[in-house]
Amino acid sequence: PWTREHVLIVALCSYNEFQWSLYYTAIIPLLPFYASEHHFGLFMQGVVLASLQIGWFLALPFLQLAPLRPHWIVYIGAFAYTLAAAMVAYSPGLWTMISGRVVEGFGSGILLIMMTSVLAREIPPELKGRAFGVTKSVACFGLLFGPVVGGLLYPIGGIRLPMLVLTVMGAFGLLAY
């Protein structure tokens, strides 16, 4: 028996998974294009890619040590996720991309862990399989649409346009949480 709360939890977790996978696949395949546009080579492309993990490494101790209630931690993660895209949309460039990826890693590290734990904790055992299946299926749509969205928007407005779209999506997520 699905309750309204169960549906809301699955919907928010699904949106989080979709947004993360869309963000990742809309931007990363385009890295060689904006590396060329902003004049940085293969090594710095690797630094841009690795910056996400720095954010994750910052998020994990934050999750353990933050004296905040879980909903505030989710808000911080959603804000970081929105801020990451906004930073690059505002001023695309190598250092903004690196710092944006660190902030993205921090936000996604918090959100993916918190939302998965909420899903695992709040959904009854007989509904967990379906709930996790739905969230991961929705995430797959992000993996599918990311390259399409990035590939369509990048030629129109450079890296700024896909990042602006991701900022708006992050803001909607922040409001939903």
Side-chain angles (χ1 to χ4, degrees):
W2 287 89
T3 66
R4 183 177 183 272
E5 183 179 357
H6 296 146
V7 172
L8 183 61
I9 289 169
V10 170
L12 289 174
C13 288
S14 297
Y15 185 76
N16 176 54
E17 295 267 352
F18 174 80
Q19 186 179 2
W20 186 78
S21 57
L22 179 72
Y23 193 119
Y24 190 78
T25 58
I27 301 307
I28 297 308
L30 297 172
L31 182 59
F33 295 106
Y34 52 82
S36 174
E37 180 181 324
H38 294 284
H39 311 293
F40 57 91
L42 291 175
F43 178 76
M44 292 314 287
Q45 289 180 48
V47 171
V48 170
L49 291 173
S51 299
L52 180 79
Q53 285 72 23
I54 295 169
W56 272 79
F57 286 130
L58 295 172
L60 296 177
F62 175 80
L63 284 168
Q64 290 294 317
L65 303 173
L68 302 170
R69 298 191 46 87
H71 70 276
W72 285 108
I73 294 173
V74 169
Y75 297 150
I76 290 168
F79 177 76
Y81 213 63
T82 305
L83 177 64
M87 290 167 57
V88 179
Y90 178 73
S91 177
L94 174 62
W95 296 108
T96 318
M97 288 178 203
I98 291 170
S99 57
R101 292 278 292 165
V102 171
V103 173
E104 174 200 353
F106 182 78
S108 67
I110 289 173
L111 284 176
L112 290 173
I113 292 167
M114 288 298 293
M115 297 307 289
T116 302
S117 68
V118 168
L119 191 68
R121 186 180 59 245
E122 299 296 329
I123 302 297
E126 65 273 10
L127 302 176
K128 275 189 180 135
R130 184 166 288 132
F132 275 98
V134 167
T135 59
K136 298 307 176 187
S137 296
V138 172
C140 288
F141 281 110
L143 294 173
L144 173 71
F145 291 123
V148 174
V149 169
L152 291 175
L153 296 179
Y154 184 80
I156 296 169
I159 193 65
R160 190 171 263 149
L161 185 57
M163 287 300 201
L164 188 57
V165 169
L166 291 169
T167 300
V168 171
M169 288 180 65
F172 281 130
L174 182 57
L175 291 173
Y177 295 124

